[in-house]
Amino acid sequence: MKNKIQIFNDEKSLNGMRNACKLAKSVLDYIDEYVKEGVTTLELNDLCHKFIIDNHAIPAPLNYNGFPKSICTSVNDVICHGIPSNYVLKSGDIINIDVTVILDGWYGDTSRMYKVGKCTKLAENLIEVTKRALYVGIDAVKPYGYFGDIGRAIQQYIDTTGYSIVRDYGGHGIGNYFHGEPFVAHYDTKLRGEQILPGMFFTIEPMINVGKFKTRLLKDEWTVVTIDKSLSAQFEHTLAVTENGIEILTE
Ligand code: MF3
Ligand code: CO
Ligand code: CO
């Protein structure tokens, strides 16, 4: 079922996804004021967890393939899947908070970067470039186009910056499940890929590194870091494809 791209061609599904994605976005808005020096990533987790539960939803990461917390918090050289902990945020840190909620059976998945105190120009530039990379990818999505268009467009842009694009992780189909086909590459695979059709829901979530693109998995079996300890950033939206274009459901 999830090894085939799913098509949801009914208004009920679209509305379910709209509501879940809207809530996921509101979690990222809600947590913004708490992301500052001195807070632990576990405290951010607990605040998001309560907000999600209070809104009649479920945090999808919790117990997902054994993931122990409700959100992912990825600081500095952590690329993705950082586990909330007693780590205390300090001035100069950059952190990605990735939220996925399940509302009424539908999954909304989105992440963004937050700056803690005063960051370097390099960190600020990486964040701006990564956000732009997400939108370059989104602009490449056309009904009846191909998934390969997305990574090609992002790579064309990132090649002008000197940064690198993570290859080991990508976007994914989503809907009434967390992760399904297709794997959405954020780099140029030189392949056309599957056709993008109305009724598809998927994420685009480029991870951009200042240094090398290669990844390393920590012994906790979740935390993904850059091999050269360079900074990494990520932004994510969930999209719906319609006959006329796309909807950015988490915007
Ligand atoms: N939200 C992540 C994504 O964008 C997945 C996190 S899975 C977890 O696909 F188990 F690490 F939470
Ligand atoms: Co995702
Ligand atoms: Co996510």
Side-chain angles (χ1 to χ4, degrees), residues 98-100 109-111 172 178 205 236:
D98 192 336
V99 166
T100 311
D109 188 5
T110 184
S111 82
H172 50 93
F178 199 167
E205 47 184 297
E236 173 175 27

